[in-house]
Amino acid sequence: MVGKRVGLVMVAVVIIGVIVGGGEGQLVENFYRSSCPNLEAIVKQVVGVKVSQAFPTIPATLRLFFHDCFVEGCDASVMIASPNGDAEKDAPDNISLAGDGFDTIVKAKQAVEAQCPGVVSCADIMALAARDVVVAAGGPSFSVELGRRDGLVSMASRVAGNLPGPEFNLKQLTDMFAEHGLNQLDMIALSGAHTVGFSHCSRFANRIYNFTSSSPVDPSLDPTYAQELMQACPRNVDPNIAIDMDPNTARTFDNVYYQNLVQGKGLFTSDEVLFTDPASTSSVSDFANNQGDFYAAFTAAMRKLGRVSVKTGSQGEIRRDCTAFN
């Protein structure tokens, strides 16, 4: 577990001609076919260069997209920078979003603007980049629906209570995802993005030092793994240090995350509970034994996630700069 500077993760994206969020509009795969025909190639090229420069680009971009979609919907509201420090990205739950994710979207937008000025939303670029980083890590490819517009609201005060915490139990996770039209299997599949994630020690320190008064170490943790975590994260560790969420294949988008859960090596309570709660054990076991099943569920969940409360038509805008409203 090599120390790295970065946070954890999650993901998103899409299919064709589906009614979005209560009839707000439609997303379609070929939305920019005539207005920006090289869009996907442009974004993929930028993502590829960025990933080659810094691997954390992969988890950072996935997590950025997930955090964006769960607050205000998939509308790039998390990209807005406020001089007053009160935008969505400034909320406590978003402070740990790694800079490589933001940088990827900004660079991709600049490259797209050079060929198709004022045409493609930052929200759509985020959706494409999220797919592209999964592929870059060896994960499944899938078609991305497009046609989102960029949101007009970005407030730190609207973040709290809308993102899952590392201490969540299965019911809390299931209920939160259900609020966004995602079922329990979607939640379990999207959690698999942690296979390429990183986490700061503070997010799980309670599991190895002060779980309960009678059991300082969470008994659901594999004892050897618990010792490894203590070595990587001593009590007074540098708060910037982060460790791999998948101790085995941290740079590959595979199903080893689920195999780890079966072995008691889920980093967060919200990871391990997916296996220890009888209501979800069978799904985790299936994904652990069959990577194809995981990939299929993950891509289906990504398509659904990419539709969460999207803005279309007059509900949003096409930002010229992803970090500022027009």
Side-chain angles (χ1 to χ4, degrees), residues 256-267:
V256 173
Y257 165 80
Y258 300 101
Q259 296 171 11
N260 293 336
L261 300 188
V262 174
Q263 297 166 14
K265 297 180 181 179
L267 190 60

Side-chain angles (χ1 to χ4, degrees), residues 134-180:
V134 170
V135 175
S141 186
F142 48 95
S143 299
V144 177
E145 292 170 326
L146 302 167
R148 301 168 190 78
R149 291 177 78 85
D150 297 321
L152 304 172
V153 174
S154 180
M155 297 169 60
S157 60
R158 295 173 71 148
V159 175
N162 287 307
L163 293 166
E167 75 292 342
F168 270 27
N169 60 34
L170 186 68
K171 184 180 187 306
Q172 290 172 307
L173 289 167
T174 302
D175 289 351
M176 179 169 283
F177 277 68
E179 292 173 8
H180 300 290

Side-chain angles (χ1 to χ4, degrees), residues 120-144:
V120 182
S121 68
C122 299
D124 279 344
I125 289 172
M126 290 182 74
L128 289 168
R131 184 268 313 274
D132 290 344
V133 295
V134 170
V135 175
S141 186
F142 48 95
S143 299
V144 177

Side-chain angles (χ1 to χ4, degrees), residues 306-326:
R307 299 175 193 139
V308 172
S309 299
V310 300
K311 316 297 185 293
T312 57
S314 60
Q315 298 168 328
E317 64 181 8
I318 305 296
R319 281 183 221 145
R320 290 182 289 272
D321 172 356
C322 289
T323 65
F325 297 121
N326 291 342

Side-chain angles (χ1 to χ4, degrees), residues 49-84:
V49 170
K50 181 70 181 164
V51 167
S52 71
Q53 295 169 342
F55 178 83
T57 296
I58 291 174
T61 303
L62 281 177
R63 187 174 183 229
L64 183 67
F65 189 67
F66 176 76
H67 279 229
D68 183 56
C69 291
F70 262 43
V71 181
E72 310 293 355
C74 306
D75 65 353
S77 51
V78 75
M79 293 295 299
I80 294 294
S82 165
N84 304 316

Side-chain angles (χ1 to χ4, degrees), residues 1-270:
M1 295 179 197
V2 180
K4 292 195 179 140
R5 296 170 184 270
V6 154
L8 62 109
V9 197
M10 272 280 188
V11 192
V13 131
V14 250
I15 215 166
I16 187 155
V18 176
I19 298 295
V20 188
E24 291 172 349
Q26 284 190 326
L27 299 182
V28 294
E29 291 175 13
N30 59 1
F31 188 83
Y32 299 103
R33 181 173 55 190
S34 57
S35 59
C36 193
N38 296 324
L39 170 62
E40 296 203 24
I42 298 169
V43 175
K44 181 180 180 181
Q45 198 271 337
V46 171
V47 168
V49 170
K50 181 70 181 164
V51 167
S52 71
Q53 295 169 342
F55 178 83
T57 296
I58 291 174
T61 303
L62 281 177
R63 187 174 183 229
L64 183 67
F65 189 67
F66 176 76
H67 279 229
D68 183 56
C69 291
F70 262 43
V71 181
E72 310 293 355
C74 306
D75 65 353
S77 51
V78 75
M79 293 295 299
I80 294 294
S82 165
N84 304 316
D86 58 359
E88 196 174 302
K89 67 183 291 188
D90 301 309
D93 285 344
N94 282 335
I95 289 296
S96 65
L97 288 170
D100 284 317
F102 292 99
D103 190 48
T104 300
I105 305 308
V106 168
K107 282 183 163 61
K109 173 65 169 175
Q110 291 170 344
V112 171
E113 285 294 297
Q115 289 198 31
C116 316
V119 170
V120 182
S121 68
C122 299
D124 279 344
I125 289 172
M126 290 182 74
L128 289 168
R131 184 268 313 274
D132 290 344
V133 295
V134 170
V135 175
S141 186
F142 48 95
S143 299
V144 177
E145 292 170 326
L146 302 167
R148 301 168 190 78
R149 291 177 78 85
D150 297 321
L152 304 172
V153 174
S154 180
M155 297 169 60
S157 60
R158 295 173 71 148
V159 175
N162 287 307
L163 293 166
E167 75 292 342
F168 270 27
N169 60 34
L170 186 68
K171 184 180 187 306
Q172 290 172 307
L173 289 167
T174 302
D175 289 351
M176 179 169 283
F177 277 68
E179 292 173 8
H180 300 290
L182 298 160
N183 62 34
Q184 189 176 90
L185 190 65
D186 296 327
M187 179 272 292
I188 296 167
L190 290 172
S191 296
H194 286 175
T195 188
V196 289
F198 303 92
S199 173
H200 296 288
C201 297
S202 60
R203 302 279 287 178
F204 58 87
N206 67 303
R207 298 190 70 205
I208 53 178
Y209 292 121
N210 55 353
F211 190 66
T212 64
S213 56
S214 60
S215 176
V217 178
D218 184 340
S220 70
L221 267 176
D222 173 80
T224 303
Y225 184 50
Q227 289 296 321
E228 292 171 355
L229 293 177
M230 289 178 189
Q231 291 171 8
C233 295
R235 285 183 182 272
N236 297 311
V237 69
D238 178 346
N240 291 313
I241 292 298
I243 70 163
D244 298 328
M245 296 191 71
D246 174 353
N248 296 315
T249 59
R251 293 191 169 213
T252 305
F253 197 95
D254 54 22
N255 65 332
V256 173
Y257 165 80
Y258 300 101
Q259 296 171 11
N260 293 336
L261 300 188
V262 174
Q263 297 166 14
K265 297 180 181 179
L267 190 60
F268 295 159
T269 297
S270 58

